[in-house]
Amino acid sequence: MIDCVPALDDVLDRLHVVALPMRVRFRGITVREVALIDGPAGWGEFGAFPEYEPPEASAWLAAAIEAAYRPAPVARRDRIPINATVPAVEPDQVPAVLARFPGAGTAKVKVAEPGQTLADDVARVNAVREHVPVVRVDANGGWSVPEAISAAEALTADGALEYLEQPCATVEELAELRAQVKVPIAADESIRKADDPLRVVALGAADVAVLKVAPLGGVARMLDIAAQIDMPIVVSSALDSAVGIGRGLLAAAALPELRHACGLGTGGLFVEDVAEPRVPVDGCLTVSAVVPDPARLSTLAAPAPRRQWWIERVRACHPLICA
């Protein structure tokens, strides 16, 4: 994935493992653990979710090593518009969530949450529409094609959607759905978790590509994929700490064109972070490198057993990032 991988011992010597408490349950968790690398070129973040096995998680480590050891790409812009991110909360919680994204004119709403119904999704989306003009939804592949068709109809009954993000799990399903609904389709997992991230293009399965730096192996790899995809790009967070958000902002800043708000405002989901939280101004975040606060690194340090778990995970992934 990257050339000239630094020695494992050097990476481990630079490792900090932190546990970030979250304001609300998101993606099934209330504490987000990540391993940070204090490298010669800056800070990198390795935050592959615990269920990801080394072959998949190794791309996340490659992204962290790129940030810690490689020069940054040239930015074309210094401010990035971001969307508000609304977890699968009750409608009465929506105003409090949106308050963490001042000035955001776009909101991404989580839908298809296990244990919830389409009626729950409609109520949440409509609650968001009362405050934000542009709404997109993210199903994380949770619907079949018939379910997604019904959802598209129900969720647009009271207003438009910018797009449906990953409504179904497979590229073939996205292509089938796209031929049957008028709502634009965005692909996320079908790109970042695919052996061939360009298959979405080959099958005409999406209108928008959602790209995430860490799962794709770093900023350079993400920009390479973006250059081969003839559709608008949305750079999004993988529930990153401030360090990872900084890399996402840099990636968005390096794109030749940026038509849509990016999903890089998720820092507001954390109670505490490793650096002072970035607060959107007029719905935008500024592009700059992030250096964690040493006091926060100490306060948020994961317990020793969890630090060891991440060390062993780095050991398992490190040999794979040259493959």
Side-chain angles (χ1 to χ4, degrees):
M1 294 179 186
I2 60 177
D3 296 326
C4 193
V5 177
L8 174 61
D9 286 347
D10 189 67
V11 174
L12 294 178
D13 284 345
R14 300 172 181 274
L15 205 67
H16 300 258
V17 180
V18 295
L20 309 180
M22 301 183 64
R23 297 182 187 277
V24 295
R25 181 177 294 275
F26 190 84
R27 215 183 169 281
I29 61 175
T30 56
V31 175
R32 174 70 164 126
E33 290 183 351
V34 298
L36 304 176
I37 303 171
D38 181 7
W43 285 79
E45 176 172 331
F46 174 42
F49 295 109
E51 66 270 22
Y52 291 0
E53 295 296 329
E56 183 173 1
S58 61
W60 300 61
L61 182 59
I65 288 175
E66 177 199 60
Y69 291 87
R70 307 283 180 265
V74 176
R76 299 168 182 258
R77 55 190 67 83
D78 59 9
R79 298 173 74 247
I80 305 299
I82 56 100
N83 65 246
T85 299
V86 181
V89 297
E90 296 297 325
D92 61 0
Q93 296 178 273
V94 164
V97 172
L98 293 177
R100 303 184 195 120
F101 305 90
T106 301
K108 180 171 82 169
V109 185
K110 289 293 184 179
V111 294
E113 182 81 358
Q116 295 189 355
T117 67
L118 180 55
D120 295 324
D121 294 338
V122 170
R124 185 181 313 111
V125 167
N126 283 341
V128 172
R129 282 196 177 106
E130 294 178 9
H131 304 275
V132 179
V134 179
V135 179
R136 56 181 68 153
V137 300
D138 182 6
N140 291 117
W143 292 320
S144 65
V145 171
E147 288 171 337
I149 293 171
S150 297
E153 181 178 355
L155 291 168
T156 57
D158 299 304
L161 289 176
E162 184 181 26
Y163 57 69
L164 295 170
E165 181 174 331
Q166 200 65 45
C168 305
T170 70
V171 178
E172 291 80 7
E173 287 175 318
L174 294 186
E176 180 182 349
L177 176 66
R178 185 169 179 250
Q180 299 185 61
V181 298
K182 296 181 179 179
V183 184
I185 304 298
D188 174 8
E189 287 90 343
S190 287
I191 296 174
R192 65 179 169 89
K193 295 174 77 72
D195 293 333
D196 178 7
L198 302 181
R199 194 156 178 267
V200 164
V201 179
L203 293 186
D207 303 279
V208 175
V210 179
L211 303 184
K212 298 180 179 180
V213 169
L216 292 174
V219 173
R221 172 65 172 151
M222 195 216 82
L223 293 175
D224 178 62
I225 291 172
Q228 300 176 68
I229 293 178
D230 186 22
M231 65 181 77
I233 304 296
V234 172
V235 182
S236 192
S237 161
L239 198 55
D240 304 317
S241 79
V243 171
I245 291 294
R247 293 298 288 182
L249 290 168
L250 177 61
L255 285 169
E257 184 179 28
L258 192 64
R259 301 186 205 173
H260 298 276
C262 288
L264 296 168
T266 54
L269 297 174
F270 297 122
V271 177
E272 297 288 346
D273 205 338
V274 295
E276 188 67 26
R278 295 172 186 245
V279 178
V281 176
D282 297 329
C284 294
L285 290 174
T286 56
V287 180
S288 62
V290 174
V291 177
D293 179 352
R296 290 172 182 256
L297 287 175
S298 177
T299 300
L300 296 167
R306 295 304 303 163
R307 172 178 169 78
Q308 188 60 40
W309 186 90
W310 281 93
I311 288 174
E312 296 305 320
R313 197 175 199 205
V314 172
R315 290 186 188 277
C317 292
H318 184 269
L320 303 178
I321 63 177
C322 305

